[in-house]
Amino acid sequence: LFKTLERQVASADMHKPDRVPAAEVHETNNAYVIALELPGIDKSSIDVKATDRSLVINAERRQESPERPSPIAKQTSLISEFRYGTWSRSFRFPAGINRDAIEAHYRDGLLTVSAAKAQTLTTVQVQVEG
C-alpha cells in the first residue's frame, strides 16, 4: 500500500508546474524596475534580453552534484522540495524602453533590473488610399 502511495505522489509531483520566482515591478518617472527573487541561482545562468517594450529573463537552477559519497554510506534524499531546471519570465511595459540603458544587478538571491524609458517615440503617418 505504501509503495503504491509513494508512486502516486511521485507521479503527481512530476506533473506540477515549475515555480515561477516572485516579482515586483515598479515604475518611476524615468524607468521601470523589476525585482525577482532568485535564491540559489548562479549569476552566470541568468540571461536578460530586451525588445522595444519588454524584458525576458531566463535562469537555470542546477542541481549540485553531491560530493563523492563513501562506498559504504550511500546518500539517499529523504525530502527534496527544491525545484531545479530552467524557467523564463517576460514583462511587457506600457511605454517603450531604452534597450541601451538597461542595468541588472544580482545580490543575495535578488535580481534587480532597471530599464530606462525611451525618450523618443516614433510615430508613422500612413496614407490612406481610396
Side-chain angles (χ1 to χ4, degrees), residues 91-126:
F91 301 90
R92 185 161 174 82
F93 305 108
I97 59 175
N98 182 349
R99 293 181 292 176
D100 297 325
I102 296 174
E103 296 180 2
H105 302 280
Y106 182 66
R107 183 174 176 187
D108 298 332
L110 186 68
L111 174 68
T112 304
V113 180
S114 177
K117 292 180 180 178
Q119 297 302 314
T120 58
L121 299 175
T122 305
T123 304
V124 177
Q125 183 70 36
V126 177

Short mmCIF file of all heavy atoms in Angstrom, two decimals, residues 91-126:
data_model
loop_
_atom_site.label_atom_id
_atom_site.label_comp_id
_atom_site.label_asym_id
_atom_site.label_seq_id
_atom_site.Cartn_x
_atom_site.Cartn_y
_atom_site.Cartn_z
N PHE A 91 8.14 40.44 -19.19
CA PHE A 91 7.44 41.61 -18.67
C PHE A 91 7.27 42.59 -19.82
O PHE A 91 8.24 42.96 -20.48
CB PHE A 91 8.24 42.27 -17.54
CG PHE A 91 8.50 41.34 -16.39
CD1 PHE A 91 9.64 40.55 -16.36
CD2 PHE A 91 7.60 41.24 -15.35
CE1 PHE A 91 9.89 39.68 -15.31
CE2 PHE A 91 7.83 40.37 -14.30
CZ PHE A 91 8.98 39.59 -14.28
N ARG A 92 6.04 43.02 -20.07
CA ARG A 92 5.74 43.99 -21.13
C ARG A 92 5.33 45.30 -20.48
O ARG A 92 4.53 45.32 -19.55
CB ARG A 92 4.63 43.47 -22.03
CG ARG A 92 4.36 44.37 -23.22
CD ARG A 92 3.61 43.61 -24.30
NE ARG A 92 3.22 44.47 -25.38
CZ ARG A 92 4.01 44.82 -26.39
NH1 ARG A 92 5.24 44.37 -26.43
NH2 ARG A 92 3.58 45.60 -27.35
N PHE A 93 5.86 46.39 -20.99
CA PHE A 93 5.64 47.71 -20.40
C PHE A 93 4.71 48.54 -21.26
O PHE A 93 4.64 48.37 -22.47
CB PHE A 93 6.98 48.42 -20.21
CG PHE A 93 7.95 47.61 -19.42
CD1 PHE A 93 9.05 47.03 -20.03
CD2 PHE A 93 7.76 47.41 -18.07
CE1 PHE A 93 9.94 46.26 -19.31
CE2 PHE A 93 8.64 46.63 -17.34
CZ PHE A 93 9.74 46.05 -17.96
N PRO A 94 4.00 49.50 -20.64
CA PRO A 94 3.06 50.33 -21.40
C PRO A 94 3.74 51.30 -22.35
O PRO A 94 3.13 51.76 -23.31
CB PRO A 94 2.28 51.09 -20.32
CG PRO A 94 3.07 50.96 -19.08
CD PRO A 94 3.93 49.76 -19.21
N ALA A 95 5.00 51.62 -22.11
CA ALA A 95 5.75 52.53 -22.99
C ALA A 95 7.06 51.85 -23.38
O ALA A 95 7.48 50.88 -22.75
CB ALA A 95 6.01 53.86 -22.29
N GLY A 96 7.72 52.39 -24.39
CA GLY A 96 8.97 51.83 -24.86
C GLY A 96 10.09 51.97 -23.84
O GLY A 96 10.05 52.82 -22.96
N ILE A 97 11.09 51.10 -23.98
CA ILE A 97 12.26 51.17 -23.11
C ILE A 97 13.50 51.39 -23.95
O ILE A 97 13.55 51.05 -25.14
CB ILE A 97 12.42 49.90 -22.25
CG1 ILE A 97 12.55 48.66 -23.11
CG2 ILE A 97 11.27 49.77 -21.28
CD1 ILE A 97 12.83 47.39 -22.32
N ASN A 98 14.50 51.99 -23.35
CA ASN A 98 15.78 52.24 -24.00
C ASN A 98 16.64 51.00 -23.80
O ASN A 98 17.19 50.79 -22.72
CB ASN A 98 16.44 53.48 -23.39
CG ASN A 98 17.75 53.82 -24.06
OD1 ASN A 98 18.28 53.05 -24.84
ND2 ASN A 98 18.26 54.99 -23.74
N ARG A 99 16.76 50.19 -24.83
CA ARG A 99 17.50 48.93 -24.72
C ARG A 99 18.97 49.13 -24.41
O ARG A 99 19.62 48.23 -23.90
CB ARG A 99 17.35 48.11 -26.01
CG ARG A 99 15.93 47.62 -26.21
CD ARG A 99 15.79 46.82 -27.46
NE ARG A 99 15.99 47.69 -28.62
CZ ARG A 99 16.00 47.26 -29.85
NH1 ARG A 99 15.84 45.99 -30.11
NH2 ARG A 99 16.16 48.10 -30.85
N ASP A 100 19.51 50.32 -24.70
CA ASP A 100 20.92 50.58 -24.42
C ASP A 100 21.16 51.05 -22.99
O ASP A 100 22.30 51.24 -22.59
CB ASP A 100 21.46 51.63 -25.40
CG ASP A 100 21.41 51.14 -26.84
OD1 ASP A 100 21.62 49.92 -27.06
OD2 ASP A 100 21.14 51.95 -27.74
N ALA A 101 20.10 51.27 -22.23
CA ALA A 101 20.25 51.79 -20.87
C ALA A 101 19.59 50.85 -19.86
O ALA A 101 18.87 51.28 -18.97
CB ALA A 101 19.65 53.19 -20.78
N ILE A 102 19.86 49.56 -19.99
CA ILE A 102 19.32 48.57 -19.06
C ILE A 102 20.44 48.12 -18.13
O ILE A 102 21.54 47.83 -18.58
CB ILE A 102 18.72 47.37 -19.81
CG1 ILE A 102 17.53 47.84 -20.64
CG2 ILE A 102 18.31 46.27 -18.84
CD1 ILE A 102 16.94 46.78 -21.52
N GLU A 103 20.14 48.10 -16.84
CA GLU A 103 21.12 47.65 -15.85
C GLU A 103 20.52 46.50 -15.06
O GLU A 103 19.34 46.52 -14.72
CB GLU A 103 21.46 48.79 -14.89
CG GLU A 103 22.14 49.96 -15.55
CD GLU A 103 22.46 51.07 -14.57
OE1 GLU A 103 22.19 50.92 -13.36
OE2 GLU A 103 22.97 52.11 -15.02
N ALA A 104 21.35 45.49 -14.78
CA ALA A 104 20.91 44.34 -13.99
C ALA A 104 21.93 44.07 -12.90
O ALA A 104 23.14 44.06 -13.16
CB ALA A 104 20.74 43.12 -14.89
N HIS A 105 21.44 43.87 -11.68
CA HIS A 105 22.30 43.59 -10.53
C HIS A 105 21.74 42.38 -9.79
O HIS A 105 20.52 42.27 -9.61
CB HIS A 105 22.36 44.79 -9.59
CG HIS A 105 22.86 46.04 -10.25
ND1 HIS A 105 24.19 46.28 -10.46
CD2 HIS A 105 22.20 47.09 -10.76
CE1 HIS A 105 24.33 47.45 -11.07
NE2 HIS A 105 23.13 47.96 -11.28
N TYR A 106 22.64 41.49 -9.37
CA TYR A 106 22.22 40.29 -8.65
C TYR A 106 23.02 40.21 -7.35
O TYR A 106 24.25 40.20 -7.37
CB TYR A 106 22.46 39.04 -9.50
CG TYR A 106 22.02 37.76 -8.85
CD1 TYR A 106 20.68 37.51 -8.59
CD2 TYR A 106 22.95 36.80 -8.48
CE1 TYR A 106 20.27 36.34 -8.01
CE2 TYR A 106 22.54 35.61 -7.89
CZ TYR A 106 21.20 35.39 -7.66
OH TYR A 106 20.79 34.22 -7.06
N ARG A 107 22.29 40.18 -6.25
CA ARG A 107 22.96 40.10 -4.95
C ARG A 107 22.02 39.45 -3.93
O ARG A 107 20.84 39.79 -3.87
CB ARG A 107 23.34 41.50 -4.48
CG ARG A 107 24.09 41.50 -3.18
CD ARG A 107 24.56 42.86 -2.82
NE ARG A 107 25.19 42.77 -1.51
CZ ARG A 107 25.60 43.78 -0.83
NH1 ARG A 107 25.47 45.00 -1.31
NH2 ARG A 107 26.14 43.62 0.35
N ASP A 108 22.57 38.54 -3.16
CA ASP A 108 21.83 37.87 -2.08
C ASP A 108 20.52 37.26 -2.56
O ASP A 108 19.49 37.34 -1.89
CB ASP A 108 21.56 38.85 -0.92
CG ASP A 108 22.84 39.36 -0.28
OD1 ASP A 108 23.85 38.63 -0.31
OD2 ASP A 108 22.82 40.48 0.26
N GLY A 109 20.53 36.67 -3.76
CA GLY A 109 19.35 36.00 -4.28
C GLY A 109 18.28 36.90 -4.87
O GLY A 109 17.19 36.45 -5.17
N LEU A 110 18.61 38.19 -5.05
CA LEU A 110 17.64 39.14 -5.61
C LEU A 110 18.21 39.76 -6.88
O LEU A 110 19.28 40.36 -6.85
CB LEU A 110 17.32 40.23 -4.58
CG LEU A 110 16.22 41.21 -4.97
CD1 LEU A 110 14.87 40.50 -5.01
CD2 LEU A 110 16.18 42.36 -3.99
N LEU A 111 17.50 39.59 -7.98
CA LEU A 111 17.88 40.21 -9.26
C LEU A 111 17.06 41.48 -9.41
O LEU A 111 15.83 41.46 -9.32
CB LEU A 111 17.59 39.27 -10.43
CG LEU A 111 17.82 39.86 -11.82
CD1 LEU A 111 19.30 40.10 -12.07
CD2 LEU A 111 17.23 38.95 -12.89
N THR A 112 17.76 42.60 -9.64
CA THR A 112 17.09 43.88 -9.87
C THR A 112 17.47 44.37 -11.26
O THR A 112 18.66 44.49 -11.58
CB THR A 112 17.50 44.93 -8.82
OG1 THR A 112 17.24 44.39 -7.52
CG2 THR A 112 16.73 46.22 -9.01
N VAL A 113 16.47 44.60 -12.10
CA VAL A 113 16.69 45.08 -13.47
C VAL A 113 16.01 46.43 -13.61
O VAL A 113 14.83 46.57 -13.31
CB VAL A 113 16.13 44.09 -14.52
CG1 VAL A 113 16.37 44.61 -15.93
CG2 VAL A 113 16.72 42.71 -14.33
N SER A 114 16.77 47.41 -14.07
CA SER A 114 16.24 48.75 -14.30
C SER A 114 16.29 49.03 -15.79
O SER A 114 17.36 48.96 -16.40
CB SER A 114 17.07 49.77 -13.52
OG SER A 114 16.61 51.07 -13.79
N ALA A 115 15.13 49.33 -16.36
CA ALA A 115 15.04 49.62 -17.80
C ALA A 115 14.58 51.06 -17.98
O ALA A 115 13.43 51.40 -17.65
CB ALA A 115 14.07 48.66 -18.46
N ALA A 116 15.47 51.90 -18.46
CA ALA A 116 15.13 53.30 -18.67
C ALA A 116 14.06 53.41 -19.74
O ALA A 116 14.05 52.67 -20.73
CB ALA A 116 16.37 54.09 -19.09
N LYS A 117 13.14 54.35 -19.55
CA LYS A 117 12.10 54.59 -20.54
C LYS A 117 12.71 55.26 -21.76
O LYS A 117 13.63 56.06 -21.65
CB LYS A 117 11.02 55.50 -19.96
CG LYS A 117 10.21 54.86 -18.85
CD LYS A 117 9.17 55.81 -18.32
CE LYS A 117 8.36 55.20 -17.21
NZ LYS A 117 7.37 56.16 -16.67
N ALA A 118 12.18 54.92 -22.92
CA ALA A 118 12.63 55.54 -24.16
C ALA A 118 12.21 57.01 -24.15
O ALA A 118 11.09 57.33 -23.78
CB ALA A 118 12.05 54.82 -25.36
N GLN A 119 13.12 57.87 -24.55
CA GLN A 119 12.84 59.31 -24.54
C GLN A 119 12.16 59.77 -25.83
O GLN A 119 11.55 60.82 -25.85
CB GLN A 119 14.13 60.10 -24.32
CG GLN A 119 14.77 59.81 -22.98
CD GLN A 119 13.83 60.12 -21.82
OE1 GLN A 119 13.20 61.16 -21.80
NE2 GLN A 119 13.73 59.20 -20.87
N THR A 120 12.30 58.99 -26.88
CA THR A 120 11.68 59.38 -28.14
C THR A 120 10.68 58.31 -28.55
O THR A 120 10.94 57.12 -28.42
CB THR A 120 12.72 59.53 -29.26
OG1 THR A 120 13.42 58.30 -29.40
CG2 THR A 120 13.71 60.63 -28.95
N LEU A 121 9.57 58.74 -29.01
CA LEU A 121 8.56 57.82 -29.52
C LEU A 121 8.45 58.05 -31.01
O LEU A 121 8.45 59.18 -31.48
CB LEU A 121 7.21 58.08 -28.84
CG LEU A 121 7.20 57.88 -27.33
CD1 LEU A 121 5.84 58.29 -26.77
CD2 LEU A 121 7.50 56.44 -26.98
N THR A 122 8.38 56.98 -31.74
CA THR A 122 8.30 57.08 -33.19
C THR A 122 6.85 56.94 -33.61
O THR A 122 6.17 55.99 -33.24
CB THR A 122 9.15 55.97 -33.85
OG1 THR A 122 10.46 56.06 -33.34
CG2 THR A 122 9.16 56.11 -35.34
N THR A 123 6.40 57.87 -34.40
CA THR A 123 5.05 57.82 -34.95
C THR A 123 5.16 57.79 -36.45
O THR A 123 5.96 58.53 -37.05
CB THR A 123 4.23 59.04 -34.52
OG1 THR A 123 4.23 59.11 -33.10
CG2 THR A 123 2.81 58.96 -35.03
N VAL A 124 4.39 56.96 -37.07
CA VAL A 124 4.42 56.85 -38.53
C VAL A 124 3.04 57.25 -39.04
O VAL A 124 2.02 56.78 -38.55
CB VAL A 124 4.74 55.38 -38.94
CG1 VAL A 124 4.69 55.24 -40.44
CG2 VAL A 124 6.09 54.96 -38.40
N GLN A 125 3.05 58.12 -40.01
CA GLN A 125 1.80 58.53 -40.66
C GLN A 125 1.57 57.63 -41.87
O GLN A 125 2.45 57.47 -42.71
CB GLN A 125 1.91 60.00 -41.14
CG GLN A 125 0.66 60.55 -41.77
CD GLN A 125 -0.46 60.74 -40.74
OE1 GLN A 125 -0.19 61.11 -39.62
NE2 GLN A 125 -1.68 60.48 -41.15
N VAL A 126 0.40 57.05 -41.95
CA VAL A 126 0.08 56.15 -43.04
C VAL A 126 -0.95 56.84 -43.95
O VAL A 126 -1.98 57.32 -43.48
CB VAL A 126 -0.50 54.82 -42.50
CG1 VAL A 126 -0.91 53.90 -43.66
CG2 VAL A 126 0.51 54.15 -41.60
#
